């Protein structure tokens, strides 16, 4: 197996490898909704703009956000509300199961990217098995919330994004190429300009070809660490073999369809920029940038090429932090991890700045994680807080750390494009 991409190493154990099963997907019935685009959503943790929930809920009364981010006063009420809504949509024919177990070829096209992969139900495995490799830590409260939602709805509401490196003449790509020449099950364009198409693979021979190739591969979790941890927790609760031993995923062969790696920014809700700067002392070199965001981000890119660098925003200007004090880094960063981990921007941010300089607890009320750069700046200015804008981690760093079994600080990377939520769901009651 070619290991030049995301996969960690060859899978040599006959019992170890990716096992992707077909399932009867739940899909929206086009005649029952305004449009397929109007009922889709980004993944639950990417709905970041201030009016994001309201915007999606008002797009269509059946938008998938009512399932993945139900709104109510208490957590238990929210989760029950999602389950009731799902049951009602099934009873009303808004959602309907496909007639037979299916693998789905999924295509996204836009912003100069063509991405194709396979959606299916993947057999779960813990990281020590070396089959599905995480590269980030998770936040327990998020796993708890996602587990409660999944437990109550008995459904996988959105696929995780996993990557692997396929063979040059692999059966998966042959199946994909044959599928895209056929009429798709659905085709839609979401408001971000991306075109989405979905095809059904129901031929047992084609499903077997996919299974045969994937059985020799490992995968890296590109997006969905909390949902993968949720899958594993719920599998433990349902010890007997069955549908809880599988989880909904999208598998992308990055040898053919490379992903983009973006940063995830931090919003420090209770720390004004003035206080953040005052606390720095000589910890970093600080330069004020009185220029628009694109210029400030270019300065961040230049500084990041030489070492750790961050861009603070929230007071109407930008402040570039770089050249950290080496002695401070030595005192504040643990030494029992590889050099590649100790020099990560996310490591320096959390270990040195957040823990030691600013004394900010990693709690939801203190730190928000935001994918969109403009949204991070806007929310910092609106709340009087500080946005810490990050530079993306290089893809090979992520891969190499995952190979060593070393997880990065939570929310260190954002791989994309991410699959649209709402195109196909998995009900555990149907498996």
């Amino acid at each position: 197996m070619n290991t030049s991409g995301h996969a960690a190493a060859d899978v040599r154990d006959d019992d170890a490898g990716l096992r992707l099963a077909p399932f009867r997907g739940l899909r929206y019935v086009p005649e029952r909704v305004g449009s397929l685009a109007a009922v889709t959503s980004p993944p639950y943790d990417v709905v970041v703009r201030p009016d994001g929930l309201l915007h999606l809920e008002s797009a269509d009364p059946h938008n998938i956000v009512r399932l993945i981010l139900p709104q109510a006063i208490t957590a238990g009420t929210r989760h029950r509300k999602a389950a009731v809504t799902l049951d009602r949509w099934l009873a009303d024919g808004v959602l309907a199961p496909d007639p037979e177990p299916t693998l789905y070829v999924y295509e996204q096209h836009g912003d100069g990217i063509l991405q194709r992969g396979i959606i299916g139900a993947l057999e779960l495995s813990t990281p020590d098995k070396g089959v599905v490799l995480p590269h980030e830590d998770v936040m327990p409260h998020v796993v708890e919330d996602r587990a409660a939602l999944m437990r109550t709805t008995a459904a996988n509401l959105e696929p995780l994004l996993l990557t692997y490196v396929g063979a040059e003449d692999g059966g998966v790509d042959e199946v994909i190429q044959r599928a895209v020449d056929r009429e798709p099950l659905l085709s839609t364009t979401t408001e971000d300009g991306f075109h989405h198409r979905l095809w059904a693979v129901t031929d047992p021979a084609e499903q077997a070809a996919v299974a045969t190739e994937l059985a020799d591969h490992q995968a890296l979790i590109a997006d969905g660490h909390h949902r993968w941890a949720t899958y594993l927790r719920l599998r433990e609760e349902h010890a007997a073999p069955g549908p809880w031993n599988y989880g909904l995923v999208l598998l992308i062969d990055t040898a053919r369809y490379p992903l983009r790696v973006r940063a995830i920014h931090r919003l420090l809700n209770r720390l004004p920029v003035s206080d953040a700067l005052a606390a720095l002392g000589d910890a970093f070199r600080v330069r004020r940038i009185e220029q628009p965001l694109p210029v400030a981000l270019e300065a961040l890119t230049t500084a990041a090429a030489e070492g750790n660098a961050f861009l603070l925003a929230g007071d109407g200007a930008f402040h570039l932090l770089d050249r950290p004090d080496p002695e401070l880094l030595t005192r504040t960063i643990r030494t029992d991890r590889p050099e590649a981990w100790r020099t990560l921007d996310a490591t320096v941010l959390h270990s040195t700045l957040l823990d030691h300089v600013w004394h900010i607890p990693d709690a939801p009320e203190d730190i928000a994680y935001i994918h969109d750069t403009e949204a991070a700046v806007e929310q910092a200015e609106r709340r009087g807080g500080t946005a810490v804008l990050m530079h993306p981690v290089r893809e090979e760093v992520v891969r190499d750390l995952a190979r060593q079994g070393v997880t990065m600080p939570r929310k260190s990377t954002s791989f994309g494009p991410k699959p649209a939520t709402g195109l196909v769901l998995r009900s555990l009651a149907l498996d």
Side-chain angles (χ1 to χ4, degrees):
M1 170 184 154
N2 176 1
T3 58
S4 61
H6 288 300
D10 292 350
V11 176
R12 295 183 174 88
D13 187 337
D14 289 340
D15 295 326
L18 298 169
R19 295 185 176 181
L20 193 70
F23 67 103
R24 294 180 61 198
L26 293 181
R27 295 189 296 109
Y28 280 99
V29 177
E31 296 77 14
R32 299 303 308 274
V33 297
S35 71
L36 289 175
V39 296
T40 63
S41 163
Y44 77 97
D45 58 342
V46 188
V47 182
V48 294
R49 55 184 170 185
D51 65 339
L53 276 171
L54 177 61
H55 173 80
L56 290 167
E57 287 181 337
S58 60
D60 188 284
H62 302 107
N63 188 282
I64 193 67
V65 78
R66 296 178 186 272
L67 299 183
I68 63 171
L69 289 172
Q71 298 302 294
I73 296 176
T74 67
T77 304
R78 289 197 303 272
H79 303 141
R80 288 191 296 272
K81 183 178 180 181
V84 169
T85 299
L86 176 58
D87 289 343
R88 185 174 69 249
W89 289 357
L90 286 166
D92 292 346
V94 174
L95 289 168
D98 283 329
E100 57 186 317
T102 303
L103 294 177
Y104 299 88
V105 170
Y106 175 50
E107 175 188 275
Q108 293 184 84
H109 185 204
D111 194 25
I113 295 175
L114 174 64
Q115 179 177 282
R116 290 171 176 159
I118 297 282
I119 294 176
L122 184 67
E123 185 175 44
L124 306 180
S125 61
T126 52
D128 61 288
K129 300 296 184 182
V131 178
V132 176
L133 301 174
H135 69 268
E136 289 185 354
D137 294 330
V138 297
M139 293 175 275
H141 74 279
V142 177
V143 175
E144 179 60 40
D145 178 74
R146 292 294 101 184
L149 177 64
M150 198 176 299
R151 187 185 299 116
T152 307
T153 59
N156 299 158
L157 300 173
E158 45 188 339
L160 282 65
L161 178 61
L162 273 60
T163 68
Y164 72 103
V165 178
E168 290 185 5
D169 56 351
V172 175
D173 189 60
E174 293 177 0
V175 169
I176 289 175
Q177 295 305 321
R178 285 194 293 270
V180 298
D181 288 335
R182 304 193 296 262
E183 189 71 19
L185 288 174
L186 63 85
S187 178
T188 190
T189 302
T190 46
E191 66 175 4
D192 58 4
F194 270 82
H195 307 286
H196 307 262
R197 295 196 293 175
L198 195 73
W199 292 265
V201 177
T202 57
D203 183 342
E206 291 194 326
Q207 293 179 354
V210 170
T212 297
E213 181 182 353
L214 292 179
D216 291 329
H217 292 284
Q218 297 166 307
L220 178 75
I221 301 175
D223 185 67
H225 284 80
H226 290 89
R227 284 167 283 164
W228 184 260
T230 296
Y231 287 166
L232 294 178
R233 174 181 295 192
L234 295 177
R235 182 183 71 166
E236 291 178 0
E237 295 178 6
H238 301 79
W244 293 95
N245 199 40
Y246 293 80
L248 183 64
V249 304
L250 165 64
L251 278 162
I252 300 291
D253 175 1
T254 51
R256 292 178 170 86
Y257 303 104
L259 300 181
R260 290 180 177 173
V261 186
R262 302 185 187 275
I264 302 178
H265 311 296
R266 274 65 169 162
L267 174 59
L268 310 181
N269 292 306
R270 302 179 181 182
L271 181 69
V273 174
S274 58
D275 292 352
L277 294 172
L280 282 173
D282 296 327
F284 283 76
R285 181 177 72 167
V286 181
R287 288 175 286 167
R288 184 182 178 94
I289 301 176
E290 297 277 4
Q291 296 289 333
L293 178 58
V295 177
L297 290 175
E298 288 181 7
L300 175 61
T301 299
T302 300
E306 300 180 0
N308 300 117
F310 310 94
L311 197 63
L312 305 189
D315 63 351
F318 299 99
H319 308 270
L320 181 63
L321 277 56
D322 66 353
R323 299 185 183 179
D325 177 3
E327 292 185 1
L328 176 62
L329 299 183
T330 299
R331 293 198 310 271
T332 56
I333 295 176
R334 56 191 295 180
T335 59
D336 60 345
R337 295 289 181 91
E339 176 73 10
W341 183 91
R342 289 185 280 119
T343 55
L344 288 170
D345 285 341
T347 299
V348 172
L349 173 61
H350 284 264
S351 299
T352 303
L353 282 170
L354 295 178
D355 292 350
H356 181 79
V357 175
W358 292 330
H359 306 290
I360 302 293
D362 196 356
E365 57 270 21
D366 290 286
I367 303 177
Y369 296 84
I370 300 180
H371 293 72
D372 184 82
T373 307
E374 292 181 356
V377 174
E378 177 186 352
Q379 292 194 36
E381 293 179 346
R382 185 165 53 86
R383 300 179 184 181
T386 296
V388 182
L389 305 184
M390 310 281 287
H391 186 70
V393 181
R394 290 181 292 113
E395 185 176 342
E396 56 266 30
V397 173
V398 178
R399 180 185 67 244
D400 289 344
L401 286 173
R403 280 177 171 166
Q404 298 175 62
V406 177
T407 54
M408 300 165 63
R410 63 195 63 168
K411 299 294 184 181
S412 293
T413 60
S414 176
F415 285 86
K418 305 178 190 304
T421 298
L423 297 181
V424 61
L425 291 62
R426 174 177 174 252
S427 169
L428 280 78
L430 293 175
D431 285 6

